[in-house]
Amino acid sequence: MTVRVVIGAQWGDEGKGKIVDLLSREAGMVIRFQGGANAGHTLEFDDKKVVLHLIPSGIFQGDSLCVIGNGVVIDPLSLLEEIETVKQLGADPAGRLYISSAAHVILPYHKLLDQIKEKHRGDRAIGTTGRGIGPAYVSKLSRTGIRMGDLGKGELLRERVLQNVEDINKALEHIYGEEPINGEEMLSALLAAEKTLRPYITDTVSMAHHALDRGESVLLEGAQGSLLDVDHGTYPYVTSSSPTAGGACTGSGIPPMAITHVMGISKAYSTRVGHGPYPTELKDETGELLRKHGGEFGATTGRPRRCGWLDLVALRYAARVNGFNEIALTKLDVLDHFDTIQVCTHYQIDGEEIDEFPNDVEMLERVVPVYRSFSGWGTTCRNCSTFADLPKEAREYIAFLEEQVGVPFRIVSTGPNRSETIVRFP
């Protein structure tokens, strides 16, 4: 039995969906443990391309149970659309998809508050997707949230929603100068969604423990990335949850002692969406080439991603925080197009060399990356089926990364399709 956590090792968008899809063949259960519909996991298979936002990436592979855990915040209307998309692509979620009754609900007022607050920040905007994720987690922590299990509670649901709307309307009118929202219309949409979602809602923590008792392998799927963690990321330019390994336990109900593997997912270079410090960002032709060849546009928003060379200071930090004992390297094929490849090994700040990732964004904005250069390989990696098939320069590049991070790179992705994957498990 294995319990493997799959974690983004950078600022998200590392290709976690493909890796979870690949690993789910051997899993009895796949659990998404945090985040919301602000995350997009892109899968490509059988000449199809699909972006999942809430449903675990194992839904198209094998017959594993796919669980949306208690740590996720759920937009019911978005989830209904996603269920229909999955059905149209030939996967039947009936009997396979389960939603935690303890997962919190994103309501229209969360989205509105998200967008209004971001607008009022002006130049200090964080760069959120406007999907209501942060305000939904605020409701959760302030104990005014609505949970998925509450959707079937009739009058109690009505009372809670209307009380929240009354409080929020006061803020909208008197603080932000916005029009009030209609609580009754919101309730009607919620009740209609609940009728369709009712068969999927259950106690998923008990489900997970029964799977462990049966000796089944479990995959815990994170969204976003370690450097966006609300505690350990580049605060305040972070997400509103914990996409690190610790969040996997609280967001799924699986205890730490059950976890056997923590796999970090890292691109062969780096990207970031939204605002915040990014030491290796390339605002030149090289950055544009990375964006072009990597197709670096947000799966959820379509926003162009900021691109740069791989940052080993940040990757070592993520390995420490999460306790990675294996790493999957994705998008190696994007580097096929470069004669010279650079990797940041250290930082300099005020003339002093450091190899620790600063937890202060003002300090991080001042660091200067120190690079090591590698020769490119000038040929495609996409036809390579084993590690030995890779060009010598690509193997040397990966060996250097392994040495620097101190963690074995067990999977190398050489393209977006399932077949374009080199697995190096012992």
Side-chain angles (χ1 to χ4, degrees):
M1 179 191 78
T2 60
V3 178
R4 177 176 276 110
V5 185
V6 177
I7 299 286
Q10 298 166 304
W11 282 282
D13 309 310
E14 301 95 346
K16 296 178 292 296
K18 173 184 174 176
I19 302 303
V20 172
D21 171 71
L22 178 76
L23 296 173
S24 64
R25 287 182 301 191
E26 308 300 328
M29 181 177 289
V30 183
I31 306 175
R32 166 78 180 274
F33 64 81
Q34 50 74 225
N38 56 337
H41 291 176
T42 303
L43 308 178
E44 293 191 27
F45 58 94
D46 301 336
D47 297 323
K48 299 174 184 176
K49 182 175 181 179
V50 60
V51 179
L52 296 176
H53 299 280
L54 290 164
I55 295 175
S57 300
I59 194 69
F60 296 108
Q61 183 89 277
D63 57 0
S64 57
L65 301 183
C66 293
V67 172
I68 302 176
N70 57 276
V72 179
V73 286
I74 298 172
D75 179 341
L77 300 182
S78 293
L79 180 55
L80 286 174
E81 292 177 3
E82 194 165 314
I83 288 172
E84 285 305 310
T85 298
V86 165
K87 287 180 178 179
Q88 291 169 15
L89 289 170
D92 185 1
R96 287 191 60 205
L97 177 64
Y98 295 90
I99 304 166
S100 171
S101 57
H104 279 248
V105 179
I106 296 175
L107 295 167
Y109 55 71
H110 291 128
K111 295 181 180 179
L112 183 59
L113 287 172
D114 198 2
Q115 294 160 14
I116 289 172
K117 289 184 176 183
E118 190 75 345
K119 175 184 172 183
H120 279 255
R121 290 187 183 106
D123 293 340
R124 296 176 291 108
I126 294 169
T128 74
T129 60
R131 300 296 179 98
I133 310 301
Y137 278 114
V138 169
S139 291
K140 175 179 179 175
L141 295 181
S142 63
R143 300 179 294 280
T144 59
I146 306 298
R147 305 202 296 180
M148 291 298 292
D150 295 331
L151 296 184
K153 291 182 179 178
E155 192 57 37
L156 181 60
L157 173 69
R158 175 186 174 83
E159 179 184 331
R160 289 177 178 174
V161 168
L162 293 182
Q163 179 61 61
N164 286 348
V165 169
E166 181 181 344
D167 293 342
I168 287 164
N169 277 341
K170 291 176 184 177
L172 289 175
E173 293 181 86
H174 301 300
I175 297 176
Y176 298 111
E178 301 282 344
E179 292 295 316
I181 53 179
N182 189 313
E184 293 292 348
E185 291 179 2
M186 187 184 306
L187 274 169
S188 296
L190 268 182
L191 293 174
E194 189 273 338
K195 289 181 181 178
T196 304
L197 294 175
R198 187 183 304 161
Y200 301 105
I201 300 171
T202 189
D203 175 4
T204 59
V205 173
S206 293
M207 281 186 64
H209 281 267
H210 291 320
L212 295 179
D213 291 342
R214 293 191 296 268
E216 295 180 6
S217 292
V218 176
L219 269 178
L220 301 176
E221 177 183 18
Q224 290 91 28
S226 300
L227 301 180
L228 292 177
D229 187 277
V230 69
D231 287 300
H232 303 292
T234 51
Y235 188 89
Y237 303 101
V238 293
T239 193
S240 302
S241 59
S242 295
T244 42
C249 297
T250 56
S252 66
I254 287 183
M257 66 186 70
I259 293 173
T260 57
H261 298 73
V262 182
M263 175 176 280
I265 315 298
S266 172
K267 282 177 180 168
Y269 51 101
S270 67
T271 62
R272 178 168 195 167
V273 171
H275 304 297
Y278 180 11
T280 64
E281 182 176 11
L282 298 169
K283 300 179 181 180
D284 57 11
E285 183 182 352
T286 302
E288 287 295 332
L289 285 173
L290 283 169
R291 185 177 299 112
K292 173 187 173 183
H293 292 301
E296 296 297 352
F297 298 89
T300 299
T301 64
R303 291 183 292 181
R305 296 176 184 141
R306 301 156 65 189
C307 297
W309 296 121
L310 184 60
D311 185 338
L312 289 179
V313 182
L315 186 54
R316 287 192 294 260
Y317 171 74
R320 276 183 171 181
V321 168
N322 290 286
F324 293 153
N325 52 17
E326 52 188 9
I327 288 177
L329 189 70
T330 61
K331 290 201 166 185
L332 182 68
D333 55 299
V334 175
L335 299 186
D336 293 349
H337 304 277
F338 294 87
D339 294 330
T340 301
I341 298 161
Q342 296 201 80
V343 180
C344 171
T345 57
H346 298 84
Y347 296 153
Q348 280 189 349
I349 184 165
D350 300 330
E352 179 183 350
E353 191 169 283
I354 62 172
D355 57 10
E356 298 287 345
F357 189 78
N359 63 0
D360 178 272
V361 293
E362 286 75 24
M363 184 177 178
L364 190 59
E365 284 171 344
R366 292 166 43 220
V367 302
V368 177
V370 178
Y371 289 107
R372 173 165 172 171
S373 296
F374 289 82
S375 297
W377 35 92
T379 186
T380 182
C381 290
R382 295 188 68 165
N383 299 322
C384 300
S385 57
T386 69
F387 190 73
D389 292 337
L390 290 172
K392 177 174 68 71
E393 294 85 356
R395 298 197 306 271
E396 290 173 350
Y397 177 69
I398 295 170
F400 177 79
L401 302 184
E402 285 185 311
E403 177 193 4
Q404 287 286 305
V405 182
V407 179
F409 284 46
R410 298 297 193 195
I411 294 176
V412 179
S413 174
T414 59
N417 293 306
R418 283 175 180 164
S419 60
E420 297 173 315
T421 311
I422 297 170
V423 179
R424 304 173 69 202
F425 288 116

